[in-house]
């Protein structure tokens, strides 16, 4: 990230200027596209140079796909792919006579691709204007201009007392302030609880906080990563929409421990209900004295700002997330410096996933021991939210113990597949996770156990492919997503994913040796987990389904 | 602190990178997005080196990895070289024509012994050279998105006339609102052309010489 641009952004933020991205998003909402006049206006209002604004305007999906009078966004995520094999996309394209990313000549309608709307429990999903509809008959309803809001998924805890699937009540922060727990003590409690990051990497939250607390900076920030981009995952969506106060409490506790006075939530634009839910919860918290200049009469000051993204998967990576938050191109930056040293506006910043932060109020209220006891037989402390795609009989979001066998999750909890279909394979934890074949369903649901099978816990989304799915189609689907979402910064990912997708999109037999060399280059060469992780599912497919891949 | 590069010990300053250490002992590490006048960027991934005891034996990017006391760096680690060579192959494969022999890209490719390109495919579309500026010409199809021109304009000149554009395979660079150098904030300093490793941005006089030669 350019230090000069970050400094420009910081100075203009101090003057309450909007970011360039905010101005460009307004232009799209207003006129359906970004013009050069909009770019000049964005440069003028944000203080960013015109060229930099141009760069931003060519990066985000929301700014690139023109909007007609009626804007239809079709989800091409993995759960929707598993449900229809892409037939819903084809049906809409041919019925509207408009390609993805295009607008009809008369401006009446536009069709855009979106990944993903987070209605994986009821695929396929389509957003028509402001209505998100989903389910097997969604295409017919879109074409009849009769969309209805899709039903929301189950939201249940298997624990005697829910830790995550509960509305926040600020009891954790209340205890900390009432008992005079010092910031260092709270940090030690979170370290003792061994809260691992739930966004995918599993890094210890306490360690991140410790770095940020020790870092020098006149101001520090807490950033909640609400860019739950993994297709097939809709966990953070419902945390933000059903437990927004829990997230805000977690952020306040992080701020207290680290010494921050302000927090930001970056919410993805594919979840239009999340930002209003968080803003409503923040307003209520301010009214109740849980946010503001003097939280609970303690002298501790903390408040939050909710910011919406603009369509980019890689923005879920922490350095790209910070770039997006500052209204810049959402590309990845090499670390060091780590955000804990130099993050938002060049100042020490903790970036934690939404679910990670939602664990903190329990730790603060009940202590590390109680938290570690939640999953007594597992390597990982705490509980985990897991969600299932539409192929299952009872898809939804469930709070479970770490270490539960995946078979138990899929068969007992989610009821197996509908219509008595057989699970062919699962992709767990998003597009960068390996593919678990049906014969390995007894693997425990935990970080190390899944890693041993070339898979990952990731974000906790479980997407089942049933016995009708072609695994070559799965590879093509994943690599198309990977290539489209590459931020374009590092060479292996920028070019390599395009090449890998082309191999699977073509008809020619694939030479295994060339493919493996390309996967190695992506895995070892890429700057971030996007290019580095895309080989994992392809390797799984090479291992378990080589006969289906069309190898030479 | 002291580190060893290919068995040669060297004293390096705090904050020195693996690349600094390698260069201090005169060892070559291939680079494409690196320019010593600019902050390291970490985009090209050609500078991969081996480091003893690195997690999983994975190669590390030399330009953005800080040295730690006692590190043993292998500039010709076979895995690192394999990745670097593959990366350069990929870059060559995105250009519609091979880079001119005197360019940095061509020289790095030659020194690495890049031969057949294993993953040919789509190339950047050939567009007419943008020669609207009297001194600087753009040939977007030769851009490899190394970011050196953008950083030269930002960090060296402080003009911010250039930006990265697009994303994924379609990433490129543009001046101003992509209306060419002439209508951008460009002050014609030439720092971008000077650092460009492929002549995607070149001084017009040089382009003219090339045309005469052709």
């Amino acid at each position: 990230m350019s230090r000069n641009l970050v400094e420009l952004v910081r100075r203009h933020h101090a003057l309450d200027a909007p970011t360039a991205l905010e101005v460009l998003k307004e232009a799209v909402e207003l006129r359906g596209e970004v013009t050069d006049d909009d770019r000049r206006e964005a440069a003028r209002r944000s203080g960013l140079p015109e060229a930099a604004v141009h760069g931003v305007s060519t990066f985000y999906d929301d700014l690139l796909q023109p909007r007609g009078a009626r804007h239809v966004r079709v989800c091409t995520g993995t759960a929707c792919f598993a449900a229809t094999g892409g037939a819903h996309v084809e049906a809409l394209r041919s019925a509207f006579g408009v390609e993805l990313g295009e607008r009809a000549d008369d401006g009446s309608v536009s069709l855009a691709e979106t990944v993903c709307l987070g209605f994986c429990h009821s695929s396929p999903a389509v957003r028509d204007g402001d209505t998100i509809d989903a389910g097997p008959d969604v295409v017919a309803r879109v074409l009849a201009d009769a969309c209805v809001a899709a039903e929301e998924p189950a939201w249940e805890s298997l624990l005697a007392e829910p830790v995550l699937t509960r509305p926040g009540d600020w009891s954790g922060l209340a205890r900390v302030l009432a008992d005079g727990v010092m910031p260092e003590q709270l940090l030690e409690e979170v370290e003792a609880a061994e809260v691992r990051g739930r966004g995918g990497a599993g890094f210890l939250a306490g360690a991140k906080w410790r770095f940020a607390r020790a870092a020098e900076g006149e101001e520090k920030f807490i950033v909640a990563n609400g860019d739950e981009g993994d297709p097939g995952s809709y966990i953070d969506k419902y945390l933000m929409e059903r437990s927004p106060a829990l997230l805000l409490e977690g952020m306040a506790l992080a701020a207290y421990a680290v010494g921050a006075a302000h927090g930001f939530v970056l919410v993805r634009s594919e979840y239009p209900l999340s930002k209003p839910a968080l803003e409503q919860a923040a307003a209520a918290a301010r009214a109740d004295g849980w946010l503001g200049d003097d939280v609970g009469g303690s002298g501790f000051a903390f408040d939050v700002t909710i910011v919406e993204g603009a369509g980019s998967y890689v923005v879920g990576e922490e350095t790209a997330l910070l770039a997006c938050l500052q209204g810049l191109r959402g590309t990845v930056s090499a670390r060091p410096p780590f955000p804990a040293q130099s993050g938002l506006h060049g100042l020490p910043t903790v970036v934690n996933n939404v679910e990670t932060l939602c664990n903190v109020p329990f730790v603060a209220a009940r202590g590390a021991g109680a938290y570690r006891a939640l999953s007594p037989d597992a390597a990982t402390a705490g509980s985990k939210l897991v969600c299932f795609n539409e192929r299952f009989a009872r898809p939804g979001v469930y709070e479970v113990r770490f270490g539960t066998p995946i078979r138990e999750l899929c068969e007992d909890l989610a009821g197996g597949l509908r219509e008595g279909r057989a699970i062919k394979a699962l992709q767990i934890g998003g597009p960068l996770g390996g593919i678990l074949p049906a014969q390995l369903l007894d693997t425990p649901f935990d970080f190390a156990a899944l890693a041993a099978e070339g898979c990952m816990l990731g974000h906790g989304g479980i997407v089942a492919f049933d016995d009708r799915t072609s695994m070559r189609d799965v590879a093509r689907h994943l690599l198309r997503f990977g290539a489209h979402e590459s931020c374009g910064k590092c060479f292996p990912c920028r070019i390599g994913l395009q090449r890998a997708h082309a191999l699977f999109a073509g008809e020619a037999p694939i030479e295994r040796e060339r493919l493996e060399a390309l996967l190695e280059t992506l895995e070892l060469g890429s700057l971030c987990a996007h290019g580095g992780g895309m080989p994992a599912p392809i390797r799984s497919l090479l291992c378990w389904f080589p006969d289906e891949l069309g190898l030479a | 602190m002291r580190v060893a590069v290919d068995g040669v010990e060297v004293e390096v300053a705090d904050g020195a990178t693996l690349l600094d250490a390698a260069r201090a002992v005169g060892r070559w590490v291939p680079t494409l997005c690196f320019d010593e006048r600019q902050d390291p960027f970490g985009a090209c991934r050609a500078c991969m080196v081996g480091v003893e005891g690195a997690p999983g034996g994975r190669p590390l990017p030399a330009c953005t990895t800080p040295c730690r006391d006692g590190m043993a760096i292998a500039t010709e680690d076979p895995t690192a070289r394999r990745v670097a060579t593959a990366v350069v192959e990929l870059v060559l494969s995105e250009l519609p024509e091979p880079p001119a022999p005197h360019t940095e890209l061509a020289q790095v490719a030659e020194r690495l012994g890049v031969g057949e390109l294993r993953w040919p495919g789509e190339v950047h579309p050939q567009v007419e050279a943008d020669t609207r500026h009297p001194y600087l010409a753009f040939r977007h199809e030769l851009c490899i998105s190394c970011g050196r021109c953008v950083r030269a304009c930002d960090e060296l000149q402080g003009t911010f006339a250039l930006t990265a554009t697009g994303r994924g395979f379609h990433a490129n660079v543009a001046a101003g609102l992509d209306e060419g150098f002439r209508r951008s904030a460009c002050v014609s300093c030439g720092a971008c052309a000077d650092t460009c490793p492929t002549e995607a941005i070149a001084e017009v006089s040089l382009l003219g010489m090339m045309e005469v030669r052709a």
Side-chain angles (χ1 to χ4, degrees), chain A residues 488-508:
Chain A
K489 177 159 172 177
C490 82
F491 293 13
C493 176
R494 175 171 67 81
I495 313 167
L497 285 178
Q498 197 278 343
R499 296 297 189 247
H501 174 242
L503 285 179
F504 283 93
E507 296 298 321

Side-chain angles (χ1 to χ4, degrees), chain B residues 4-205:
Chain B
V5 182
D6 298 335
V8 180
E9 289 216 2
V10 60
E11 183 78 27
V12 293
D14 253 11
T17 63
L18 307 186
L19 183 62
D20 292 331
R23 290 190 168 184
V25 299
R27 298 295 293 173
W28 181 70
V29 174
T31 59
L32 290 173
C33 72
F34 184 78
D35 179 328
E36 61 197 8
R37 297 165 291 188
Q38 306 172 358
D39 284 347
F41 196 50
C44 76
R45 322 306 279 176
C47 68
M48 289 289 173
V49 295
V51 172
E52 208 174 275
R58 295 167 70 103
L60 296 172
C63 76
T64 56
T65 307
C67 287
R68 278 201 311 273
D69 195 39
M71 255 184 177
I73 302 157
T75 62
E76 294 185 5
D77 172 79
T79 308
R81 263 308 145 83
R82 206 163 57 238
V83 172
T85 306
V87 163
V88 175
E89 265 182 60
L90 284 170
V91 173
L92 293 175
S93 79
E94 71 174 336
L95 303 182
E97 60 187 72
H102 62 269
T103 58
E104 206 174 312
L105 173 58
Q107 288 171 9
V108 167
E110 189 185 356
R111 191 152 178 189
L112 282 173
V114 172
E116 181 214 6
L117 305 183
R118 285 170 288 175
W119 308 286
E122 186 181 340
V123 297
H124 295 312
Q126 194 106 36
V127 287
E128 200 178 331
D130 179 353
T131 55
R132 287 172 289 182
H133 188 277
Y135 313 128
L136 294 167
F138 247 134
R139 289 185 65 196
H140 287 283
E141 73 275 17
L142 295 181
C143 175
I144 61 170
S145 290
C146 67
R148 282 164 64 167
C149 57
V150 179
R151 284 175 289 141
C153 199
D154 169 333
E155 298 173 26
L156 304 181
Q157 187 61 28
T159 297
F160 310 99
L162 288 165
T163 180
T165 60
R167 74 182 198 208
F169 185 77
H170 305 289
N172 211 289
V173 291
L177 299 179
D178 201 14
E179 298 173 306
F181 282 111
R182 193 158 180 167
R183 298 191 63 183
S184 77
C186 173
V187 295
S188 310
C189 76
C192 52
D194 178 65
T195 191
C196 179
T198 66
E199 287 184 345
I201 300 176
E203 292 180 11
V204 168
S205 57

